[in-house]
Amino acid sequence: MRRILYTVTLLCLAAPRPGEAQSWQPPPDAQRCPSKWGADDQRGAGNHMKPETVLRAVQLMRTGQVIELGRVLHPAMAFSLGRRFELITKRTNMNPGSNRRGSNEEIVYSEIGQVGTQFDAFAHQTIGDSLYNCNKLDQISTRNGFTRLGVENVGSIVTRGVLIDVAALKGVAQLPETYPITAQDLQDALARQKMTLQPGDAAIVNTGWGALWGKDDERYMRVNPGLTAGAAEWLAKQDPVLVGADNGPINVTPDPDPQLNNPVHQIMLVVHGIHLLENLKLDELAAGRIYEFALVVQPLKIRGGTGSTVAPIAIR
Amino acid sequence: MRRILYTVTLLCLAAPRPGEAQSWQPPPDAQRCPSKWGADDQRGAGNHMKPETVLRAVQLMRTGQVIELGRVLHPAMAFSLGRRFELITKRTNMNPGSNRRGSNEEIVYSEIGQVGTQFDAFAHQTIGDSLYNCNKLDQISTRNGFTRLGVENVGSIVTRGVLIDVAALKGVAQLPETYPITAQDLQDALARQKMTLQPGDAAIVNTGWGALWGKDDERYMRVNPGLTAGAAEWLAKQDPVLVGADNGPINVTPDPDPQLNNPVHQIMLVVHGIHLLENLKLDELAAGRIYEFALVVQPLKIRGGTGSTVAPIAIR
Amino acid sequence: MRRILYTVTLLCLAAPRPGEAQSWQPPPDAQRCPSKWGADDQRGAGNHMKPETVLRAVQLMRTGQVIELGRVLHPAMAFSLGRRFELITKRTNMNPGSNRRGSNEEIVYSEIGQVGTQFDAFAHQTIGDSLYNCNKLDQISTRNGFTRLGVENVGSIVTRGVLIDVAALKGVAQLPETYPITAQDLQDALARQKMTLQPGDAAIVNTGWGALWGKDDERYMRVNPGLTAGAAEWLAKQDPVLVGADNGPINVTPDPDPQLNNPVHQIMLVVHGIHLLENLKLDELAAGRIYEFALVVQPLKIRGGTGSTVAPIAIR
Amino acid sequence: MRRILYTVTLLCLAAPRPGEAQSWQPPPDAQRCPSKWGADDQRGAGNHMKPETVLRAVQLMRTGQVIELGRVLHPAMAFSLGRRFELITKRTNMNPGSNRRGSNEEIVYSEIGQVGTQFDAFAHQTIGDSLYNCNKLDQISTRNGFTRLGVENVGSIVTRGVLIDVAALKGVAQLPETYPITAQDLQDALARQKMTLQPGDAAIVNTGWGALWGKDDERYMRVNPGLTAGAAEWLAKQDPVLVGADNGPINVTPDPDPQLNNPVHQIMLVVHGIHLLENLKLDELAAGRIYEFALVVQPLKIRGGTGSTVAPIAIR
C-alpha cells in the first residue's frame, strides 16, 4: 500500500524529463561486478593516474597561478548531519633546555574524512551491504577502518580539471535551490565552453551554490542544485577520475525521485568506482571563466578511511 | 651549581667543530623582529609562493612520474610523545529510500597537525613566549586555535624540491644514529650533486633514518641523525620556503649541545619564518637519485592550527 | 578612565544591599594560605568526610526512598560555552566462539568533568595564577591533568544534605531570572524550614531555575538566579563540604557587580576549599518539601581532573 | 569438519567437572523471552531497587566507614583491547572581570562506559543480533547510542553487597591465573563465611587477581581466574542485582570450553538481565574480611550508553 502511494506520488510529481531515465535503480551485483578495472581492483578510476595523465595536466600550467579550491576547517562550518570538527589547542609545553623552546599542538576530533572540502573514497558508500567491486560490508569493515577500499590507496590526483559551469549556461550566478542538473545541461554547458571531457579528467560542476557556504549554512545543507541520476550516468560514461561540485552531496537535494536518496553517490562510488570531491570553493574559477586547469588533490593517507578532507588547488 | 656542571659537560663532550658555532642562543626579539617580510607578516618564507616559483617547479615536471613522500596514517604508527591517531569507524547508516544507500564515515581523534608526515606552521613553536615576528603567546592563543600564524594562512606549496642526500655523500644508506649534519655536509652534498639552492626552494635532507619507520619505531623516535643549529643557520640563509627530512625533528637528536633542545625548530619557525616538513618518505627519491623535482604539499586549512599532517608528492 | 566609568556604573546600578558587602575582592595569597586544613592539604572541606559525618547521613535514611538529582547526558543538552558531549557507538564486534557474543561500546568525547550535573574539584578555578592553598598554575598543571588538586583525591561524598529552598521562601516556583540570593535570603529560608546548617553538610540551594533544563536551554545558560558573593561568604562560614544548586554557575548571572565574574566559584573552590555541585535536578525534592536527606555523590576518579560529571542521589 | 575437531578437543581438554554442565549454549530467544520482568522491561534485575532493598543496605551502615572500590582513571591504565582514556587539559581561560578568575577543564576521549571500574548495562552484549528481552540490534542501535537498554535507565544501586571470597576459601591471596570458579566454589565460600545470598544483593567475587592492576597490567588483561558458565548460572538463580569481581571479564579467561567466549557476559546481561561490575578494587574488603556491606554504585546517566565507568563504595 505504501509502495503504491509512492508510485502515485512519483507519477504526479516527478514526471520523466525528456532524455532522462525517470527513476534509477541500483544495479544488481552481477551487473556491475567485476568492475571494468578487474575483480581485485580497489582503485577504480584512480587507475587513470598515470604519467600521461599527469603530463596532460602539466601542459595546462602556463602562468603559475594557483587557485585554492578548499574551505577553511573550523568548528562552526557547515556539516552534514551528525558530523563535527572540534579543535582543542593543548597547553604550551616548555621543553627542557636553555633555549626556552615552547611547543604548541592541537587535538582535533572530527569525521576528518567527511568534513569541509572532502574527497570520497569507495569505502564511503554501499548499495545494501555491497560496495565497489562487490566488496561486502561485513568482510571489509572493522571498528578501526576498512581492510579494503580505504583512502590510503588513492594517492594524489594530478589531472586536467574541467569546470562545467551550469550556472553560467543558465545565465545565473546561482542555480535555483533544487535545480536538477540533467545530462543535457552538462552537454550544453560543455558545448557553450567549446570543450569535451576526456577519460581521466576531473569533472567539476559549478552550480553557484557554494556562495552560501559560511553565509547561510543551514540552507546550504538543507537543499541544493545538483546532478540527477541521469546526469551522473552520462558523466560516468565520460570516464572521469573524479566528479566534483560546489555543494555537499553532488546530487540535487532532494532528489526529484522521492524514492531515491542521493543515487549519484552510489552511481559514482559503488557502481563505477569514480571518486567525488565535495564542497569545493569554485567562485574564483567561475568568475575568471577558468574552465580548464591542472587539478591537484592530496587526500590524507588515512588507513582504512572512507575519505579525506582536502585542500585542492587549480594550477594554470 | 647545576649550570656550572652543564658548562663542564659541554666543554668535555661537545667541543666545537671547526666551522660551526659551538652553541646556539635564541636571538632576542629586537634582533629578529620585524621579520624581513614585514612587521605584520604571517607567511614568512611562504611569501615565495608566487607564479614564477610555481613555473620553476613546472619546468621540472617532464616525465609525469609522481612519487609519494607521505606516510600512511594509523593508530600504531610512530608518534612524538603524547600524540595519538585514533580512528573509529562509525556504524553504517542506512539512508531512507528505495536505493538502499549505506553510508560509512569515521571519527578521528588526533593531534592532526603533528602526526605522520607533517607540515609545521609558525604557531607551532616559541622562544619563551614569543613566536614568529614576535607575536606573543598570550595574545594569539585561544583554547580553539591561534588567531594568527595558523596553518590556514599557508596555502599549497608548489616549488622546486632539492634532495640533499647527506647519506649518499657519506657513502651509507643510513647515517649513524646521532650524526650531526653540519653546514659543510650540506654544501658538500650539494656539490657532489652539482646543485645549488635557490630562494623559494624546498630543501629536503636525506639521512636514511626514514628506513626505520614502521620497522623500529621506538629507535626512530628516540634518536636520529639530523641538522645542527649551524647547518640550520646556513640553510636559512639560502632562503628556502621549507626544510624537510626523513626524520621527526629535523634537528639531530639529542642535540650535540646538551643545553639545547631542538634549536632547528626555533631557527626555522620562530627566527626565520621557514616551514618544516617532517617524517618524509624519501627512499624512492634517494634510490632513484632524483635530486631535483617539483614538490607539491597541501596542508589542510585548519583554522588556527599549528600544522597539518600531509601527503606530499614529488613530480618530475 | 575605564575604571572610573566602571565605578560610576557600580554606584548607580549596584548600590549595596543592606547586610551585603558591596563588592567582593579576591583576597591576596597571604590572607588565605595556608588553608585551615593545613599547608599541604588538597582535600579542603572534603576532610569532613569521616565516619561520624557518614553516620549522621545514615540517620536520615528512614524510608529507603532514592531520589535522583542528576541530569541525563546527551549531545544536545545545555552546555557552558565551548563544551561538548559527543557519543559514537562503535560497530558491534562479534567475538570468536560458538556462543555468538556481540559486544557494544561507545566513544565519548567530552569535557567530562564539566558537563551535565557536575562536581567541581579545586583544580577547576584560580585567582590569577593561584589555586586552592596557593598552589600555582605552572607548578601543578600539565597537558594531561593536574599533579595536585585533581578530582581523584576527593572520594565519595556521603553526608547530610540540606535543601535551602529560596524559591519557596519567596513564594514562587522559580526565582526571577537574575535574582541575587543574599545571605539574608539563605538565613530566612532556613528559618522558614526550621533548620540550621552543620559543618560537613551539603548545602543545596533551590532556585527553581532547573525547570528550564531541556526546555529552554539557551535561557538556562544565559542568565540565572543564584548566590551573590555575600551569600557565598556566609555559606562558607557554615563550613559545608559542598554547595550545590539547580543552575550552572551557582553564582547569580550576571553578577550584580559588573566588575565581577562568578566570584562564588573563587570563594568556594579557591579561597575556602569547598566543592560545588552544579546543574542539579531538584524538582522532586522541592515538590516533596524534602529539606533534609542523605546526599551521595560519587565523582569519577579522573587522575588530575578538574571535576566530574555525576549522578548524585538523595536517600531518605 | 571444523565442528568435529572442536568437539574432540573439547572431550580431551575440557572434560566435564562434577556438578558443572560441560558446556554452555546460548538459549534460543523463545526460551528466554519475555524476561521474568515482563516483555517491555528494560531494567532486569535493576527492578530490585526498591525502598526495602535500600533499607536492607542501610541496616549494614553501622560504623560510617567508607571503602572505595573504584580504580583511578588515567591514560596508561589497563584496558581491554582497543579502548582508550585520553585526557587533555585545556588552556586556562582567564575570564573577564576584575576578580581574575581562571578556569580549567579537560577533554576526555574514552570508551567511558567500558574503562576502569565499570558497570555494564544491557546494551553492552548480544547473542547474535539479540539483546536482553530479545531486543534486536538493528532496531535499537544508532550511531549515537541505543534507543533501549541504555545505562541511563539504571539509576543508582544501593543494596547489600556480599563479598564471596573464593581466594580465601582456597587459602591463597590470589587464585591461579586461569582458575575456573565453579558453582560449588561459590557455595563453599559462602558457607565458610556463614552467609547466604538474597534476591537483590550485589554478589562480589574476590579472586585476588586485582592485585595485578597497575603492577602487571599485561598479565591482568591476558588471563584471569573467574566464573565458569556453570557458576554464573547458579549465581543468576540467586537473583542478584549485579555480579562483580576484581577482574576484567568476570568470566575465567580463557574459558575452559575452547568453543566459548565469555559466556558469563551473555548469561548475566542477555539471558537474565543482571548487571556486571568489573575491575573492582577489593583488597581492603578482603583484608578486613568485610563480607557484608552496603554497596553504592552511581552509573553516569549516559543516554543510550552501554555502561559507565564508576567509583563505587562499600559503606559499613
Side-chain angles (χ1 to χ4, degrees), chain C residues 268-289:
Chain C
M268 293 299 173
L269 295 169
V270 186
V271 178
H272 295 290
I274 295 168
H275 295 291
L276 295 174
L277 187 52
E278 303 163 350
N279 295 322
L280 285 163
K281 180 181 175 299
L282 299 178
D283 55 347
E284 286 185 74
L285 292 182
R289 302 185 186 185

Short mmCIF file of all heavy atoms in Angstrom, two decimals, chain C residues 268-289:
data_model
loop_
_atom_site.label_atom_id
_atom_site.label_comp_id
_atom_site.label_asym_id
_atom_site.label_seq_id
_atom_site.Cartn_x
_atom_site.Cartn_y
_atom_site.Cartn_z
N MET C 268 34.39 29.68 46.89
CA MET C 268 34.25 28.30 47.33
C MET C 268 35.50 27.48 47.02
O MET C 268 36.09 26.87 47.91
CB MET C 268 33.02 27.66 46.67
CG MET C 268 31.70 28.26 47.13
SD MET C 268 31.47 28.06 48.93
CE MET C 268 29.98 29.06 49.17
N LEU C 269 35.89 27.45 45.76
CA LEU C 269 36.92 26.49 45.34
C LEU C 269 38.33 26.96 45.67
O LEU C 269 39.19 26.15 46.02
CB LEU C 269 36.80 26.23 43.83
CG LEU C 269 35.49 25.54 43.39
CD1 LEU C 269 35.35 25.58 41.88
CD2 LEU C 269 35.47 24.10 43.88
N VAL C 270 38.58 28.27 45.55
CA VAL C 270 39.95 28.76 45.72
C VAL C 270 40.20 29.22 47.15
O VAL C 270 41.18 28.85 47.78
CB VAL C 270 40.25 29.91 44.73
CG1 VAL C 270 41.72 30.32 44.82
CG2 VAL C 270 39.89 29.52 43.31
N VAL C 271 39.28 30.04 47.67
CA VAL C 271 39.52 30.64 48.98
C VAL C 271 39.26 29.64 50.11
O VAL C 271 40.09 29.47 51.01
CB VAL C 271 38.65 31.90 49.17
CG1 VAL C 271 38.87 32.49 50.57
CG2 VAL C 271 38.95 32.92 48.08
N HIS C 272 38.11 28.95 50.05
CA HIS C 272 37.71 28.13 51.19
C HIS C 272 37.84 26.63 50.98
O HIS C 272 37.66 25.86 51.91
CB HIS C 272 36.27 28.48 51.60
CG HIS C 272 36.12 29.88 52.11
ND1 HIS C 272 36.63 30.28 53.32
CD2 HIS C 272 35.56 30.98 51.56
CE1 HIS C 272 36.37 31.57 53.51
NE2 HIS C 272 35.72 32.02 52.45
N GLY C 273 38.13 26.20 49.73
CA GLY C 273 38.27 24.75 49.53
C GLY C 273 36.96 24.01 49.76
O GLY C 273 36.94 22.96 50.41
N ILE C 274 35.89 24.56 49.22
CA ILE C 274 34.57 23.93 49.33
C ILE C 274 34.12 23.54 47.92
O ILE C 274 34.18 24.36 47.00
CB ILE C 274 33.56 24.90 49.98
CG1 ILE C 274 33.98 25.19 51.43
CG2 ILE C 274 32.13 24.34 49.91
CD1 ILE C 274 33.23 26.34 52.08
N HIS C 275 33.68 22.31 47.75
CA HIS C 275 33.29 21.83 46.42
C HIS C 275 31.96 22.44 45.97
O HIS C 275 31.16 22.90 46.78
CB HIS C 275 33.19 20.31 46.42
CG HIS C 275 34.51 19.64 46.65
ND1 HIS C 275 35.52 19.66 45.72
CD2 HIS C 275 35.00 18.95 47.71
CE1 HIS C 275 36.56 19.01 46.19
NE2 HIS C 275 36.29 18.57 47.39
N LEU C 276 31.74 22.38 44.65
CA LEU C 276 30.48 22.84 44.07
C LEU C 276 29.81 21.68 43.33
O LEU C 276 30.48 20.79 42.81
CB LEU C 276 30.73 24.01 43.11
CG LEU C 276 31.29 25.29 43.75
CD1 LEU C 276 31.62 26.32 42.69
CD2 LEU C 276 30.28 25.88 44.75
N LEU C 277 28.49 21.74 43.28
CA LEU C 277 27.71 20.70 42.61
C LEU C 277 26.64 21.41 41.79
O LEU C 277 25.72 22.02 42.34
CB LEU C 277 27.10 19.78 43.68
CG LEU C 277 26.37 18.52 43.24
CD1 LEU C 277 27.21 17.66 42.31
CD2 LEU C 277 25.98 17.70 44.48
N GLU C 278 26.78 21.34 40.46
CA GLU C 278 26.02 22.21 39.58
C GLU C 278 24.98 21.45 38.75
O GLU C 278 25.10 20.25 38.55
CB GLU C 278 27.00 22.93 38.64
CG GLU C 278 28.06 23.71 39.41
CD GLU C 278 29.25 24.10 38.57
OE1 GLU C 278 29.37 23.60 37.43
OE2 GLU C 278 30.09 24.87 39.06
N ASN C 279 24.03 22.21 38.24
CA ASN C 279 23.00 21.65 37.35
C ASN C 279 22.23 20.51 37.99
O ASN C 279 21.89 19.52 37.33
CB ASN C 279 23.62 21.19 36.03
CG ASN C 279 24.21 22.33 35.22
OD1 ASN C 279 23.65 23.43 35.18
ND2 ASN C 279 25.35 22.11 34.57
N LEU C 280 21.98 20.63 39.28
CA LEU C 280 21.21 19.60 39.97
C LEU C 280 19.75 19.62 39.53
O LEU C 280 19.21 20.67 39.16
CB LEU C 280 21.28 19.82 41.48
CG LEU C 280 22.61 19.41 42.13
CD1 LEU C 280 22.74 20.04 43.51
CD2 LEU C 280 22.70 17.89 42.23
N LYS C 281 19.15 18.46 39.57
CA LYS C 281 17.71 18.31 39.31
C LYS C 281 17.04 18.24 40.68
O LYS C 281 17.10 17.22 41.37
CB LYS C 281 17.50 17.02 38.52
CG LYS C 281 16.06 16.72 38.17
CD LYS C 281 15.97 15.40 37.40
CE LYS C 281 14.51 15.02 37.15
NZ LYS C 281 13.73 14.81 38.39
N LEU C 282 16.40 19.35 41.06
CA LEU C 282 15.88 19.46 42.43
C LEU C 282 14.36 19.47 42.50
O LEU C 282 13.79 19.67 43.59
CB LEU C 282 16.44 20.74 43.10
CG LEU C 282 17.96 20.82 43.23
CD1 LEU C 282 18.36 22.15 43.85
CD2 LEU C 282 18.48 19.66 44.08
N ASP C 283 13.71 19.27 41.38
CA ASP C 283 12.25 19.42 41.39
C ASP C 283 11.54 18.45 42.33
O ASP C 283 10.59 18.83 43.02
CB ASP C 283 11.68 19.30 39.96
CG ASP C 283 12.10 18.02 39.26
OD1 ASP C 283 13.01 17.32 39.76
OD2 ASP C 283 11.53 17.70 38.20
N GLU C 284 12.00 17.22 42.39
CA GLU C 284 11.34 16.26 43.27
C GLU C 284 11.52 16.62 44.74
O GLU C 284 10.58 16.54 45.52
CB GLU C 284 11.87 14.85 43.02
CG GLU C 284 11.38 14.24 41.72
CD GLU C 284 11.85 12.80 41.59
OE1 GLU C 284 11.32 11.91 42.27
OE2 GLU C 284 12.78 12.57 40.78
N LEU C 285 12.74 17.02 45.10
CA LEU C 285 12.98 17.42 46.49
C LEU C 285 12.09 18.61 46.86
O LEU C 285 11.45 18.62 47.92
CB LEU C 285 14.45 17.80 46.71
CG LEU C 285 15.49 16.68 46.60
CD1 LEU C 285 16.88 17.24 46.90
CD2 LEU C 285 15.17 15.53 47.56
N ALA C 286 12.07 19.61 45.96
CA ALA C 286 11.30 20.81 46.27
C ALA C 286 9.81 20.50 46.35
O ALA C 286 9.12 20.94 47.28
CB ALA C 286 11.57 21.88 45.21
N ALA C 287 9.30 19.74 45.37
CA ALA C 287 7.87 19.42 45.37
C ALA C 287 7.48 18.65 46.62
O ALA C 287 6.40 18.85 47.19
CB ALA C 287 7.52 18.61 44.11
N GLY C 288 8.37 17.77 47.09
CA GLY C 288 8.06 16.96 48.26
C GLY C 288 8.46 17.60 49.57
O GLY C 288 8.35 16.99 50.62
N ARG C 289 8.95 18.85 49.49
CA ARG C 289 9.45 19.54 50.69
C ARG C 289 10.42 18.66 51.48
O ARG C 289 10.37 18.56 52.71
CB ARG C 289 8.28 19.97 51.58
CG ARG C 289 7.33 20.89 50.84
CD ARG C 289 6.23 21.42 51.72
NE ARG C 289 5.30 22.18 50.88
CZ ARG C 289 4.27 22.86 51.38
NH1 ARG C 289 4.05 22.89 52.69
NH2 ARG C 289 3.47 23.54 50.57
#
